[in-house]
Amino acid sequence: MPCSIFRVYSTYTAQLSSKRKGMEAEGKTWNYHDILAQFITMHNKKSNVLLIWSGDWPTYSSNSDKYYVILAGEGFDSTDEAWNWCKANNYGPNDCMPIDLQ
């Protein structure tokens, strides 16, 4: 069952990626096509994966740089549950972290 953005907003979720055009990471300079391709690849593996713009969410408001953020789309009651999901899905600590969108 697809996760509602409202469920993810009201609980913790896991952030899987954050990229912006021109960012150098993972051995390349990212562009919009790369960001979308990464999202599609992740979404094809896990259909709950969401793509958001950081500028639309209070969690990211203190950061002046805005990013396209890929979220697990799963809701968790605690950061421990989110970390456990990351580990169970073979994401390392640099690739997956708990996030509270509020």
Side-chain angles (χ1 to χ4, degrees):
M1 178 172 79
C3 183
S4 162
I5 188 68
F6 301 108
R7 164 92 171 114
V8 172
Y9 182 70
S10 63
T11 62
Y12 294 96
T13 191
Q15 178 178 306
L16 305 176
S17 176
S18 62
K19 303 285 189 308
R20 61 183 158 85
K21 182 181 178 192
M23 180 178 182
E24 293 184 19
E26 300 167 21
K28 65 180 177 181
T29 302
W30 288 75
N31 60 43
Y32 296 130
H33 180 266
D34 296 326
I35 295 165
L36 182 59
Q38 183 185 40
F39 167 69
I40 290 170
T41 298
M42 289 181 160
H43 188 268
N44 287 340
K45 291 179 184 176
K46 300 225 179 272
S47 63
N48 284 352
V49 170
L50 302 168
L51 179 66
I52 66 168
W53 177 245
S54 67
D56 293 337
W57 299 92
T59 296
Y60 301 102
S61 64
S62 64
N63 189 344
S64 62
D65 291 329
K66 303 302 177 205
Y67 296 84
Y68 290 96
V69 179
I70 299 175
L71 302 173
E74 304 283 340
F76 307 104
D77 292 328
S78 69
T79 57
D80 285 342
E81 283 184 25
W83 280 121
N84 289 336
W85 183 92
C86 292
K87 291 175 196 168
N89 286 277
N90 299 314
Y91 290 105
N94 293 331
D95 300 319
C96 187
M97 68 182 81
I99 190 81
D100 180 354
L101 291 177
Q102 295 185 52

